[in-house]
Amino acid sequence: MLARKLVAEFVGTFALVFIGCGAIIAQSADVLGGITTKINPASYISVAFAFGLTIMVMVYAVGHISAAHFNPAVTIGLAVAGRFPWRYVPHYIIVQCVGASVASLIHWSFLEEGVNVDYGATTVGMDLSFGEGFVLELVLTFFLMFVIMAVATDKRFPSAASGLAIGMTITLCMLMGAAFSGASMNPARSLGPALFSAIGAAPKALQQLLRIYIPAPIVGAIVAAVLYEFLRPAEFAKAAPEDLMALAVKEGEAETPAETG
């Protein structure tokens, strides 16, 4: 059971970085075929939809298998809210980070040595300070996690619409925040590109990963999860995924979802 879920998480996170960050790399190419680290502001629209649509289709593809976290911050937020067993949090986070890193590895292998590209790495731009970038990533992740709690842990929400809701939330958040902080909302999504941008002698993304792109999404996700848990009556709560929580309960490692409401 767990192995299938981990493979699904790997595939979903790999797709997110491979397609989303691949779109950033593609949009960084100018008309002469060169590569720069900057993209046209208008291109943020296509990049936002690349990320949002990828998440949407992957939620529909494997959401019924692993609950489609694809994001360490989401996994931690669900665990804090009692909707995911803590014992499986490290498993999910590891495969998410590996999936993102393998996607960036493929991007790196495609590009010629010395090409000036950051592989879609997220860094604070537009003259934002460290604190402003942190707050922006926290707030954007809050919105994403709040929607995920609504569609994944509330029995009243029609599951058929979950992929669309989450995908559009990511698109909207990126339309607002991509030009400022990259609108990562996901430590794994930022990790893969940061590792390979550091290989290309651009360590800024790796430095900001530890200061902004790991802690800020986690804090935002926890706040959103706790808030939605407070707003939703316990009788409408469910785990994400339910069968993994049931296994943890059976093995005596977790309370039932209803008891954590």
Side-chain angles (χ1 to χ4, degrees):
M1 178 190 296
L2 179 61
R4 296 188 184 98
K5 297 181 188 304
L6 296 180
V7 171
E9 284 295 301
F10 174 91
V11 171
T13 315
F14 173 89
L16 172 67
V17 174
F18 186 77
I19 297 176
C21 293
I24 294 176
I25 295 171
Q27 294 295 336
S28 298
D30 63 27
V31 294
L32 298 178
I35 301 288
T36 69
T37 57
K38 302 296 183 181
I39 67 175
N40 188 311
S43 298
Y44 284 117
I45 297 175
S46 60
V47 170
F49 275 99
F51 278 100
L53 291 174
T54 300
I55 286 296
M56 182 185 73
V57 299
M58 293 312 298
V59 167
Y60 287 129
V62 299
H64 54 288
I65 299 174
S66 69
H69 297 188
F70 309 149
N71 185 335
V74 170
T75 299
I76 293 172
L78 288 168
V80 169
R83 302 302 152 196
F84 185 81
W86 276 105
R87 66 175 299 181
Y88 300 124
V89 168
H91 302 75
Y92 264 50
I93 291 178
I94 289 171
V95 296
Q96 290 159 359
C97 291
V98 171
S101 299
V102 171
S104 290
L105 171 63
I106 294 176
H107 290 158
W108 174 77
S109 68
F110 282 174
L111 298 172
E112 296 180 2
E113 184 177 355
V115 170
N116 184 26
V117 65
D118 60 6
Y119 306 99
T122 49
T123 56
V124 174
M126 303 291 286
D127 297 323
L128 262 66
S129 67
F130 162 77
E132 290 167 337
F134 188 98
V135 170
L136 180 58
E137 283 295 316
L138 188 156
V139 171
L140 293 176
T141 311
F142 171 89
F143 289 136
L144 173 60
M145 188 67 203
F146 197 79
V147 171
I148 290 173
M149 286 293 293
V151 305
T153 72
D154 198 315
K155 297 177 181 178
R156 296 169 295 181
F157 188 88
S159 58
S162 59
L164 179 62
I166 297 171
M168 288 307 298
T169 301
I170 289 175
T171 301
L172 292 173
C173 288
M174 290 202 67
L175 287 174
M176 182 274 160
F180 298 100
S181 67
S184 169
M185 304 171 280
N186 185 335
R189 174 261 179 270
S190 289
L191 172 64
L195 291 175
F196 290 92
S197 68
I199 292 176
K204 181 179 179 181
L206 200 56
Q207 295 167 356
Q208 293 192 5
L209 176 73
L210 301 176
R211 302 177 64 194
I212 299 175
Y213 295 101
I214 290 179
I218 291 174
V219 174
I222 290 174
V223 173
V226 171
L227 177 60
Y228 194 88
E229 196 68 19
F230 169 75
L231 296 175
R232 188 216 325 98
E235 62 266 28
F236 297 115
K238 64 179 181 179
E242 293 182 272
D243 57 347
L244 201 56
M245 179 64 83
L247 177 62
V249 171
K250 181 179 179 180
E251 296 178 352
E253 298 289 341
E255 296 177 321
T256 63
E259 291 172 344
T260 60

